[in-house]
Amino acid sequence: MDWSLILILLAMGMAGGFAAGLLGIGGGMVLVPFITMIFTAKQFPPSMVVHMAIATSLATILFTSMSSVRAHHAHGAVLWPIVQRLAPGIVIGSWIGPWVGKQLPTSTLALVFALFVAFSATQMLINKKPSAARDLPGTAGMLAAGGVIGVVSGVVGAGGGFISVPFMTWCNVKIHNAVATSAALGFPIALSGTLSNIYFGWSEPGLPAYSLGYIYLPALAVIASASVMMAPLGARAAHKMPVATLKRVFAVILYALAGYMLWKAFH
C-alpha cells in the first residue's frame, strides 16, 4: 500500500472509532462503503469486493469494541447482566451471518447493506421514545433478540449497535447505558463473525494476497490502529454531551453512504 492509501485508511479508522465510542456502534456503517470504494479501486475481484469489505470491517470491531468498552466501563455505564443474557444468541447469530452473506451475490449484498443503513439512519432521526411500561424480555426473548442482532451484524459487517441500542432503549434502558452496553456486545459479535468469515472464505479461489479468509489484513491493521485510539474519545464525548444533534448529522452521512452502496448494487 502507498502512503496516500494508508492515510485514507487511517482517517477512516479514526472516524469509525469515534463513531463507535460515541454511538455504541462498531463503525461498520461508516467503514464498509469506504472500504468497498478502496477495494474496487485496487481492482479486487468484483464478486468479492463487498464480501471482503464487510469481513474486514467486522474484524476491526474486535479492537474498537475493546477500546470503547474500557472507556464506558470506567463511567460505570455497561450493564453486564444484559451483555451476559444477549451474548449466547449473538455468538450463534454472528457465526451464521457471514454464511448467509456468502450465499448472496455482491449486488444483492450491497443492496441489503444500503437498505439496512438507510433504515438505521431513519431510526436515528425519528428517535421514537419507548412505552413507559415496557421491560426486557425473558431468557427466550433475549436469546432470540441476540440471534437477530448477531445475524444482521454478521451479514452487514457492523457491531450491532443500530439494533441493540434501539432494542434496549425500547425496553427502557437509559440511552447512555444502552450505548455502553452495545459497545460491550460488539466484541462477541466481532469475534464470532470474524472467525466465521475466515472459515467460510478460507478456500475461496481468487482472493488477493495477504487475505485471511475474506479479511484483507493490511487494511485491517491500519484501520484498527486508528480506531482504537479514537474510540475512547468518542465514549468520553458520549458522556459529556447530548447526542441528538450529532445523531442527526450522522444520519445524513449514513444516507449518503447508503446511496453509494445502492449505486454499487446496480453497477
Side-chain angles (χ1 to χ4, degrees):
M1 294 191 296
D2 58 38
W3 280 106
S4 61
L5 181 55
I6 290 173
L7 291 174
I8 291 170
L9 291 172
L10 284 172
M12 287 168 45
M14 291 172 70
F18 188 82
L22 181 69
L23 300 172
I25 63 174
M29 298 290 99
V30 177
L31 293 177
V32 170
F34 285 115
I35 297 175
T36 299
M37 294 179 200
I38 289 171
F39 288 178
T40 300
K42 286 180 68 66
Q43 298 183 327
F44 283 6
S47 62
M48 299 182 194
V49 164
V50 177
H51 293 82
M52 291 188 67
I54 286 173
T56 304
S57 168
L58 194 58
T60 66
I61 298 168
L62 274 172
F63 306 94
T64 306
S65 63
M66 288 190 291
S67 180
S68 176
V69 77
R70 279 200 301 267
H72 283 297
H73 180 69
H75 288 86
V78 181
L79 301 179
W80 292 106
I82 294 179
V83 175
Q84 292 171 358
R85 294 177 65 195
L86 284 173
I90 277 175
V91 169
I92 296 170
S94 299
W95 178 269
I96 296 171
W99 176 83
V100 173
K102 184 178 181 179
Q103 315 310 310
L104 302 176
T106 291
S107 57
T108 304
L109 196 55
L111 178 61
V112 169
F113 185 90
L115 294 175
F116 179 72
V117 171
F119 170 76
S120 300
T122 304
Q123 248 187 351
M124 294 180 74
L125 287 177
I126 294 173
N127 197 27
K128 186 177 179 182
K129 301 297 181 184
S131 165
R134 193 172 287 115
D135 202 355
L136 289 165
T139 301
M142 292 292 273
L143 182 66
V148 171
I149 293 168
V151 169
V152 174
S153 299
V155 170
V156 302
F162 282 103
I163 306 176
S164 59
V165 171
F167 167 70
M168 284 184 276
T169 54
W170 186 68
C171 295
N172 283 292
V173 176
K174 293 180 180 178
I175 182 62
H176 287 95
N177 294 116
V179 167
T181 305
S182 174
L185 291 169
F187 184 80
I189 287 172
L191 179 60
S192 182
T194 295
L195 293 174
S196 182
N197 274 307
I198 293 171
Y199 177 78
F200 289 115
W202 189 263
S203 58
E204 191 73 41
L207 286 169
Y210 308 112
S211 297
L212 183 62
Y214 287 120
I215 300 165
Y216 187 56
L217 294 177
L220 169 62
V222 177
I223 293 171
S225 63
S227 64
V228 164
M229 291 188 294
M230 292 301 294
L233 299 181
R236 284 198 287 271
H239 291 278
K240 290 182 179 179
M241 65 176 71
V243 295
T245 301
L246 288 168
K247 279 188 173 182
R248 285 194 287 270
V249 172
F250 197 62
V252 172
I253 295 171
L254 288 179
Y255 279 127
L257 296 176
Y260 168 75
M261 294 302 286
L262 191 62
W263 175 86
K264 187 72 177 173
F266 294 101
H267 294 80

